[in-house]
Amino acid sequence: MSARDPRPPRVLRALLDRVLPPGPVRDGLAGDLDELYAERVQRRGRVRANAWYARQLLSAARHYRLKRPRSRPTSEKRPTTMLDSLARDIAYALRNLRRAPGFTAVIVLTLALGIGANTAIYTLLDAVVLRPLPVPEPEQLVLVTPSEGQGWAYFTNPLWEEVRDRATGFTALAAFSETNFNTADGGLARRVRGQYVSGDYFTLFGVRPALGRLLGPADDVRGCPAVAVLGHGFWQSEHGGRVDVIGTTIRLDGKPFEIVGVAAPGFAGPEVGRETQVYAPLCSEAVITGSQANLDARSRWWMRVMGRRDPSVSIEQLRARIKSIAPDAYAATVPPNWAAEDKAGYLKRTLSVFPAETGLSDIRARYASALGMLMGAVALILLIACANVANLLLARAASRQHDVAIRMAIGAGRGRLARQVLTESALLAVLGAAAGLLVAHWGARGLVALISTDSFPVSLDLSLDARVLGFTALVTVVTTLIFGLVPAWRGTRVSPQAAMKAGGRGVAEGHSRFTLGKALVAAQVALSLPLLVGAGLLAGSLRNLATLDPGFEPDGVLAVSASLSRAGLEPEARDVVWRTVLERIRALPGVRSAASAYRTPVGFGTWNDDLYVDGFVPASPRDAVVWFTAVGEGYFATLGMRLVAGRDFDASDGPNGPKVAIVSESVAAKFFGGESPLGRQFRTKRGDTFQDPVTIVGVVEDAKYASLREDESATVYLPVAQQMAGTAWLTLVLRAAGNPLSLVPAVRQVFEEVQPAAMLEVTTLEAQLARSLQRERVLALLSTLFGGVALALTVLGLYGVMAYTVARRRNEIGVRIALGADAPRVVRMVLRDVVRVVVIGVMLGAAGAWVAGRLVRSFLYGLEPVEPSVMAGAVVLLLAAALGAGLRPALRAASADPVAALREE
Amino acid sequence: MPNLRPNLGEFEHLVLATALRLKGQGYGATLVRELEERTGRQVLGGALYATLDRLEAKGYLVSRMGEPDPVRGGRPKRFVEVTPAGVRALAEQREALLRVWEGLESILEQA
C-alpha cells in the first residue's frame, strides 16, 4: 500500500470524521476504511468501492450517531459567520456539481438556453425600443410633427423654415432627412447611409467633432457650398481613421463634396438602427439634384424635425406654443397647385411635439410588436426550462435522500440543509446565466444579421450594458427561487430512519399517482402548446405568402436601376441612351426579353392617384384610388404577366401619340362593371384640373403592386415613353435564360460603352420578393426555433419523469408481470400515464394557445388566429413526441425481470 | 454441568474468535478481511467497531493504538488482543454450542 493509493471521496471521508467520535474509534476505523477502500477499488472498481464506502459510512452513522442524543457539530468545526458558512456551502455545492458532470451540463445548458434567449431578445428590445439616444440630456428631445399625432412626421422645406423662424421654447431645433448617397464614380452604385441636416443639427444632439469641424448655421443657407461631415464609423472603416481626410473630396451621387470634419463616436443619427455615414447640409440637396426645386417644393414632404425643449418649459407648454404658430406657418406655405378643398384642409393643419428620448426608428415601427411577441415566447421557454431543471433537481433530491438523512442524523437542521440545496440551485443559475450571456451575445448578433438587408443595414449597439445584466440577474434570481425552493422543501422532508432503509424504497412514490414531477411536465406541455401554435401560425403564414401567386413570375428576372443624373445630358439625349441600352441588352446572349419600367413590383416608389371614369361613382373618397406605374414595350412578357385583352404598348405610343393605358383586370371589373374597357377613357387630376383623357388599349391580369399582403392590386399601366420622357433614371427588367445574376457583367459592359457615367443598382426580382417577406421569415424562423426548443425541453422532461417513475415502480411492475401481465399491457400502462400528462397539459395550454393566436394575428396571412388544423397539428406533434419519449421507459418496464424484482422486495 | 453464560452475540462471537486467531496483531482492516473471507458476508466497519467497543467494555478484549501510519492518511491502527476472560467466554460459548448440536449432525448430513 502506497501513499498514491486511491482515497475515498473527500466529502464522504469528511462526513465519516464527523460521524465518529474523536479518538481511537475515529482514527482506527477511518484508517481501516481507507485501507480497505484502496483494495476494493482495485478489485471492484471505483464506483462499487464508493458505494461500499457510503454503506460503511451509513453503518458508522447508525452505530455511532443514532443511538446517542443528537448534538450539534463540535464547536470548533461550526462556521462562525454567515459568510463563512456561505463559503462552505458554495464549496460543497461545487464539489457536488463536479461529481455529476452530466447532470450539471444538462441543467446549465437548459438554463443557458432559457436565460440566453431571454437576454438576446431583451438586448434587442432594449437597443431598439428602450434605450435613450446617446446624447446629453436625451429626455429634453422632442419630435415636432405637422399634425396632432405622431404617425406622420414629415415636413416640406418651406414649412420647416417657417417653423424654425417662429418656434419658441426650444434651445435647439433641427431638420434632417435620411437618404442614401451613391459614392461611386460610375458603374455599379456604392450606397452609403447619408443625412441632410439643418444648421442646428449637431448642436441639438450635442455632437462634437472628432476631427475638423461640424456643420453649423453658416453651412445652412441657400446656394451653400458642397461640404460634408463623415460619421465616425465610416471614417474608420472607409478612411482608416486618417487625419488627412479633411479637405479631400467625396462623391455624393456623382457631385464632389469637400470633407470638412468627422463627428465624434457615439451618436450616429436619431434613427435607431441606422448609422449615418455622411452628413451634408440640407441646402446641398440642390447641389445633387441640380435645382432648388425640392427646397422650394410645398408638397414634397421629405424631412423630419426634432428639437431640444428648454428645461424651463414643460412639454404641455411647448405643445401649446407650437400649436399657436401653426396657422401662420401653414398660411405662408400653401401649395399653390392644390385643389381648393385640399388647400382649406392644409390651412387647418396643426403642429405638435412628442417626447423623443429614444429617438426615431423605422425598425422599431417594423419590429417593436414582433420583439414584444418574441419576448413573450422566450419567457415561456424560460419557464419550461425552469420546470425541466426543477424536475432534474427533484429526481436528484430523491436519489440523495441518504446523504440528506446522514446530515440530519448528525445534527444538521432543516434550514441549514435547505440553504445548502438553495446554494446549489443558485450556483447552477449563475453558471447557467454565464453560459446564457454567451448564448445571448451570439444570439443578439445573429438576430440583427437576420433583420439586416443590403439596402437597410441595421447597426445596433448590442453591448451588454447594466440594464441587460440587471435583467439577466433578475431572471436568474427568479429562476433560482422557482426551481430551488421545491427540491429544497421536498429534499429535506425525509425522516432519517425511513431514508436509511435499504435502497430508500420506503419513500418511493407509489403507483401512477399524479406526482409533482408529472405536474411539472404537464405545465411544460401547457406552456409549449402556445409556442407550437404560434410557430405553426407564423410558419403557415410565411408559406402562404411565399407560395402565393403574385401575378408575375419572379424567377429569372433581373432588375437594373440606372441613373443618368451624372451624365449631364439633355432629356432628348437621355432617351437615346435608354433606347440604345435597351436594344443592346435585348441582343445579349442569355437575355430572353427586356423592358423598361418606372418601378418593379413589390419594390419601392409606390404611386397612386384617383381615377375618374364616366359612369363610376366612388363609394368613398378612397374608393377611386388605384396604383399607377409606367412600363415599356415587352414589360408584361418579361415579367410573365398575361394580357387578357387588347394589346401591349408599342412604338406608336410615343410622347406625341394619343395617351394610352393598360389596366389590370380588377380596374376593369371595378370601374367598368364587367363591360370591356377597351377603347374606354379615364382621367386624373392635377390640383383642381382634369388632365387629358387616357384611352385604355389593353387589360392585363392582376399582379401584386406594393406588397404580397395587399388585397387590392388594381393598377393602371402607362407607357414609359409618354409618362417618363427624358427621365434621368429608369429601371430595366431582363428575363434571363439562366441565372439572372450572370448577366450583370454584360449589362455593365453595355452601359460602360453607351454611357460610362451611368450608375447602376442590380437585384433579382426573386431576392426583392424574399426581402419583402423578411420580417415574416424572421418571425417564422424564430418562432419555429423556439417551438422546437420548447418541444425538446418538454420531451426531455417527460422522458426524465417517466424513466424515474418506471424505475421507482420496478417492483410493482415485476409483480404485475409475475401475475401474468404481458409486455404490451405494461407498455400500454406506462403510455397511458404519458397520454394523461399530455392531455392535462393540453387542456391547460388551450387558453394560452388562444391568446398566442390573438397576439400573432397581425402577422398572419391566410390563417385565422384560431386555426383548428394548426391547433390539432400542435397537439398531435406534442402527443407523438411525448409517446416517443415514453416508449423507452415503457419498454424497459415491460422487460423487467419479475424474479429479480421480487427478490429485492 | 458448568454454568453457561452465553452472553456473546453471534457477531460478537465471530469477531472475538477472529481476534483470537490474529494473535494480537489484528486490527480493523485485517479483522474485516478475515471475517469476510471466512464467513463470505460483507462486514460493516461501524458494526465491527461498535462490537469491538462492546467486547472491550465486557472485558473480553483490550485495544492499543499503533503509530500514526502515513499510508493510512496519518492514522494509527487499533490493534486488539483477546483477554483471558475473552478466551474463557469463547471456550464456554463453544462448549454450549457443541452441546446443543450433539446428535444433530447426522440429520444435517441427511438433509
Side-chain angles (χ1 to χ4, degrees):
Chain A
M1 180 146 182
S2 78
R4 294 174 60 189
D5 279 329
R7 292 258 178 249
R10 276 220 304 272
V11 67
L12 295 182
R13 248 170 133 222
L15 272 173
L16 185 70
D17 265 7
R18 302 188 67 168
V19 162
L20 297 173
V25 171
R26 182 192 286 174
D27 288 343
L29 182 52
D32 289 336
L33 291 181
D34 276 11
E35 207 181 311
L36 292 166
Y37 176 85
E39 234 173 69
R40 219 157 247 274
V41 169
Q42 269 162 18
R43 282 209 332 260
R44 318 283 297 268
R46 196 173 267 279
V47 177
R48 281 167 170 242
N50 282 348
W52 170 85
Y53 195 88
R55 269 197 307 279
Q56 294 287 355
L57 172 59
L58 273 171
S59 146
R62 183 144 66 195
H63 287 287
Y64 283 96
R65 275 291 162 176
L66 294 184
K67 289 192 171 164
R68 46 197 78 192
R70 205 175 284 175
S71 65
R72 295 229 143 241
T74 45
S75 59
E76 83 273 5
K77 287 273 184 182
R78 197 175 333 154
T80 46
T81 64
M82 277 290 278
L83 212 65
D84 197 19
S85 100
L86 184 68
R88 276 160 185 270
D89 282 349
I90 289 176
Y92 174 68
L94 271 177
R95 277 205 303 275
N96 269 344
L97 295 183
R98 241 201 331 264
R99 200 156 295 135
F103 163 84
T104 308
V106 169
I107 288 201
V108 167
L109 278 180
T110 304
L111 278 179
L113 225 54
I115 294 175
N118 273 273
T119 310
I121 300 289
Y122 184 82
T123 301
L124 215 60
L125 193 70
D126 183 41
V128 171
V129 182
L130 303 175
R131 198 181 300 157
L133 287 177
V135 304
E137 277 92 38
E139 68 283 355
Q140 293 173 1
L141 293 178
V142 293
L143 175 71
V144 184
T145 61
S147 59
E148 292 279 4
Q150 292 190 74
W152 174 249
Y154 286 87
F155 285 72
T156 65
N157 191 48
L159 182 61
W160 148 243
E161 288 176 349
E162 289 299 323
V163 170
R164 177 190 64 196
D165 296 342
R166 294 170 196 270
T168 60
F170 296 95
T171 54
L173 195 60
F176 50 87
S177 175
E178 278 99 17
T179 183
N180 280 337
F181 292 123
N182 177 7
T183 57
D185 218 358
L188 281 184
R190 267 206 75 240
R191 293 291 175 189
V192 302
R193 293 177 294 289
Q195 209 173 160
Y196 292 116
V197 301
S198 71
D200 260 355
Y201 179 86
F202 289 106
T203 316
L204 171 65
F205 293 114
V207 182
R208 299 177 179 287
L211 200 64
R213 68 174 181 87
L214 299 177
L215 302 173
D219 297 297
D220 186 22
V221 290
R222 291 295 176 97
C224 60
V227 295
V229 165
L230 302 184
H232 197 269
F234 184 69
W235 174 55
Q236 290 292 336
S237 64
E238 211 62 18
H239 298 273
R242 288 203 326 273
V243 292
D244 57 6
V245 72
I246 303 298
T248 61
T249 296
I250 183 171
R251 287 202 174 260
L252 300 182
D253 289 355
K255 304 292 191 301
F257 277 65
E258 185 195 346
I259 297 171
V260 296
V262 175
F267 177 79
E271 174 87 25
V272 176
R274 185 185 191 275
E275 179 198 351
T276 306
Q277 297 174 313
V278 178
Y279 301 89
L282 268 184
C283 48
S284 66
E285 203 266 352
V287 175
I288 286 180
T289 53
S291 102
Q292 301 281 325
N294 280 331
L295 295 179
D296 286 328
R298 292 181 170 191
S299 50
R300 196 172 122 74
W301 311 84
W302 59 292
M303 57 185 68
R304 285 183 288 184
V305 176
M306 282 178 76
R308 187 175 280 280
R309 179 172 56 82
D310 187 325
S312 65
V313 180
S314 74
I315 186 103
E316 288 76 23
Q317 290 168 327
L318 195 64
R319 195 168 288 147
R321 286 203 201 181
I322 194 115
K323 195 169 183 174
S324 70
I325 66 162
D328 289 341
Y330 283 110
T333 57
V334 179
N337 51 353
W338 280 22
E341 186 189 334
D342 294 337
K343 281 182 183 169
Y346 182 84
L347 287 171
K348 288 199 198 101
R349 292 188 187 182
T350 183
L351 293 167
S352 192
V353 290
F354 295 93
E357 183 180 6
T358 54
L360 316 167
S361 182
D362 174 50
I363 57 167
R364 184 182 306 159
R366 273 191 298 152
Y367 281 102
S369 61
L371 279 173
M373 217 173 69
L374 291 176
M375 201 68 228
V378 292
L380 288 183
I381 287 199
L382 186 60
L383 286 178
I384 294 172
C386 285
N388 241 9
V389 171
N391 248 338
L392 282 167
L393 285 180
L394 272 179
R396 186 165 144 94
S399 73
R400 272 170 45 181
Q401 273 170 349
H402 286 276
D403 183 47
V404 170
I406 292 168
R407 292 170 155 263
M408 287 182 80
I410 61 176
R414 261 183 83 167
R416 179 92 181 81
L417 286 174
R419 202 159 70 227
Q420 233 157 35
V421 178
L422 267 180
T423 307
E424 206 174 302
S425 305
L427 206 60
L428 283 170
V430 167
L431 288 174
L437 277 180
L438 279 180
V439 173
H441 180 84
W442 298 112
R445 270 154 191 76
L447 282 175
V448 169
L450 275 182
I451 63 174
S452 275
T453 60
D454 295 341
S455 45
F456 288 115
V458 175
S459 52
L460 290 170
D461 177 12
L462 294 176
S463 52
L464 300 169
D465 65 1
R467 253 165 127 157
V468 177
L469 285 175
F471 182 78
T472 317
L474 186 74
V475 171
T476 309
V477 166
V478 171
T479 307
T480 310
L481 284 180
I482 291 176
F483 74 66
L485 278 176
V486 178
W489 175 69
R490 298 196 82 198
T492 58
R493 206 187 46 180
V494 279
S495 96
Q497 276 83 0
M500 281 197 185
K501 288 192 184 129
R505 249 180 294 144
V507 286
E509 284 106 304
H511 310 296
S512 51
R513 256 188 296 136
F514 202 70
T515 56
L516 181 56
K518 286 181 197 164
L520 283 170
V521 174
Q524 286 182 308
V525 170
L527 293 169
S528 300
L529 192 62
L531 287 174
L532 289 174
V533 167
L537 289 173
L538 291 169
S541 296
L542 176 66
R543 201 201 52 206
N544 285 350
L545 283 166
T547 56
L548 173 90
D549 177 14
F552 56 91
E553 290 162 21
D555 316 9
V557 176
L558 188 73
V560 181
S561 299
S563 165
L564 299 179
S565 62
R566 282 188 58 225
L569 298 173
E570 294 301 313
E572 292 76 20
R574 289 181 189 149
D575 283 347
V576 174
V577 171
W578 295 128
R579 242 190 337 268
T580 316
V581 164
L582 200 55
E583 269 165 28
R584 294 186 56 172
I585 284 179
R586 281 179 174 143
L588 286 175
V591 174
R592 285 209 183 132
S593 64
S596 56
Y598 164 76
R599 70 191 290 276
T600 47
V602 196
F604 302 108
T606 57
W607 164 19
N608 58 19
D609 207 344
D610 289 329
L611 202 62
Y612 295 90
V613 172
D614 287 341
F616 175 78
V617 184
S620 71
R622 292 281 319 157
D623 199 29
V625 178
V626 298
W627 296 116
F628 275 76
T629 185
V631 301
E633 184 182 351
Y635 174 86
F636 299 119
T638 304
L639 262 71
M641 294 167 69
R642 203 165 46 85
L643 267 173
V644 181
R647 63 168 177 90
D648 191 6
F649 297 130
D650 58 33
S652 66
D653 305 318
N656 304 318
K659 297 263 187 262
V660 294
I662 294 171
V663 298
S664 72
E665 280 180 300
S666 53
V667 173
K670 182 170 184 182
F671 290 85
F672 300 96
E675 292 170 34
S676 167
L678 294 181
R680 300 279 300 269
Q681 292 190 321
F682 67 81
R683 293 195 213 225
T684 56
K685 267 187 183 177
R686 288 289 163 272
D688 283 335
T689 323
F690 275 112
Q691 303 293 101
D692 291 338
V694 181
T695 306
I696 295 168
V697 297
V699 178
V700 70
E701 62 182 340
D702 272 344
K704 297 291 177 187
Y705 182 93
S707 111
L708 288 174
R709 281 176 174 269
E710 72 194 11
D711 297 325
E712 284 268 351
S713 300
T715 309
V716 171
Y717 297 88
L718 302 172
V720 162
Q722 289 182 350
Q723 199 61 35
M724 300 179 72
T727 180
W729 49 266
L730 202 61
T731 296
L732 305 179
V733 287
L734 289 71
R735 177 162 291 278
N739 177 7
L741 285 174
S742 65
L743 294 174
V744 172
V747 170
R748 278 185 68 179
Q749 185 62 30
V750 167
F751 273 97
E752 189 69 29
E753 285 164 20
V754 178
Q755 179 46 262
M759 291 181 295
L760 312 177
E761 269 177 283
V762 296
T763 182
T764 64
L765 223 49
E766 231 179 339
Q768 184 164 305
L769 280 186
R771 273 199 297 276
S772 82
L773 292 179
Q774 185 205 25
R775 189 180 67 175
E776 281 80 0
R777 187 166 297 112
V778 169
L779 278 177
L781 185 76
L782 288 180
S783 63
T784 307
L785 183 74
F786 292 156
V789 168
L791 188 65
L793 289 177
T794 303
V795 164
L796 194 70
L798 190 75
Y799 174 77
V801 165
M802 290 320 294
Y804 179 71
T805 310
V806 164
R808 284 282 164 135
R809 292 174 65 189
R810 204 177 52 215
N811 296 332
E812 177 220 323
I813 291 169
V815 171
R816 282 170 188 267
I817 293 176
L819 291 178
D822 55 356
R825 195 190 174 101
V826 172
V827 170
R828 268 203 308 279
M829 183 181 75
V830 174
L831 292 186
R832 209 164 31 236
D833 237 21
V834 173
V835 172
R836 202 154 55 113
V837 169
V838 173
V839 166
I840 290 174
V842 164
M843 285 185 326
L844 292 174
W850 186 81
V851 172
R854 298 275 131 185
L855 287 178
V856 300
R857 164 178 244 161
S858 64
F859 301 99
L860 300 186
Y861 186 86
L863 287 175
E864 291 302 312
V866 179
E867 192 73 33
S869 62
V870 173
M871 187 77 171
V875 171
V876 167
L877 185 64
L878 269 171
L879 207 55
L883 288 176
L887 199 58
R888 219 174 102 100
L891 289 175
R892 193 174 317 139
S895 66
D897 175 5
V899 180
L902 289 174
R903 196 183 307 129
E904 284 186 34
E905 189 68 71
Chain B
M1 187 186 274
N3 178 21
L4 290 180
R5 294 168 297 163
N7 62 346
L8 282 176
E10 189 220 356
F11 192 56
E12 286 176 340
H13 186 130
L14 294 175
V15 170
L16 198 58
T18 308
L20 191 64
R21 179 183 299 279
L22 293 172
K23 299 186 172 91
Q25 293 310 304
Y27 62 97
T30 51
L31 283 169
V32 169
R33 269 185 221 123
E34 194 67 29
L35 276 166
E36 288 189 342
E37 236 161 70
R38 289 193 179 266
T39 65
R41 70 186 199 197
Q42 198 172 321
V43 175
L44 291 170
L48 174 67
Y49 265 60
T51 305
L52 292 179
D53 288 351
R54 245 187 341 264
L55 290 172
E56 199 163 2
K58 288 177 180 172
Y60 293 158
L61 57 76
V62 289
S63 61
R64 69 184 159 84
M65 300 308 287
E67 293 302 306
D69 187 341
V71 298
R72 286 164 55 98
R75 279 150 167 164
K77 294 170 180 164
R78 181 192 188 186
F79 292 102
V80 292
E81 191 167 2
V82 183
T83 60
V87 177
R88 200 162 46 245
L90 273 174
E92 284 168 4
Q93 187 94 333
R94 179 176 177 276
E95 188 68 19
L97 284 172
L98 285 176
R99 276 191 215 159
V100 169
W101 278 100
E102 233 170 35
L104 292 178
E105 279 87 353
S106 56
I107 298 176
L108 280 185
E109 277 159 19
Q110 284 162 15

